Amino acid sequence: MKIRAAYYIKLALAGLMLSGCASKAGPFVTNVSSDGDGGLLIEKCMVRLDRMINTVENADCTTSPIKLKRASAGIR
């Protein structure tokens, strides 16, 4: 019975260690480009840090269009 309890404790500790290996921050603007029709395309991504293999990569990226209007001649 003690062996089984020790096994479950080790298994729970391993799960806790692996669950905290990656973290995310953001979203951050990663790209701004023209949509070809006078507007902008804004790409936002989360930044994911994987501590197990020491990498930083983009994750969960989304693109949002923004329509721009020309200013009237009287406004400077």
Side-chain angles (χ1 to χ4, degrees):
M1 191 62 118
K2 289 182 181 180
I3 295 173
R4 183 175 286 188
Y7 171 76
Y8 287 124
I9 290 172
K10 288 179 184 178
L11 187 62
L13 288 174
L16 285 174
M17 287 174 40
L18 291 176
S19 67
C21 294
S23 60
K24 289 184 180 179
F28 299 102
V29 173
T30 57
N31 191 22
V32 178
S33 60
S34 172
D35 68 356
D37 194 29
L40 296 174
L41 294 174
I42 310 296
E43 181 182 41
K44 295 180 281 184
C45 295
M46 301 289 284
V47 176
R48 182 175 176 271
L49 168 65
D50 189 344
R51 292 184 183 115
M52 291 288 287
I53 55 175
N54 292 326
T55 60
V56 177
E57 57 192 19
N58 290 340
D60 302 330
C61 296
T62 59
T63 302
S64 303
I66 296 178
K67 295 292 181 187
L68 302 176
K69 294 182 181 180
R70 294 187 184 266
S72 63
I75 300 175
R76 292 184 185 215

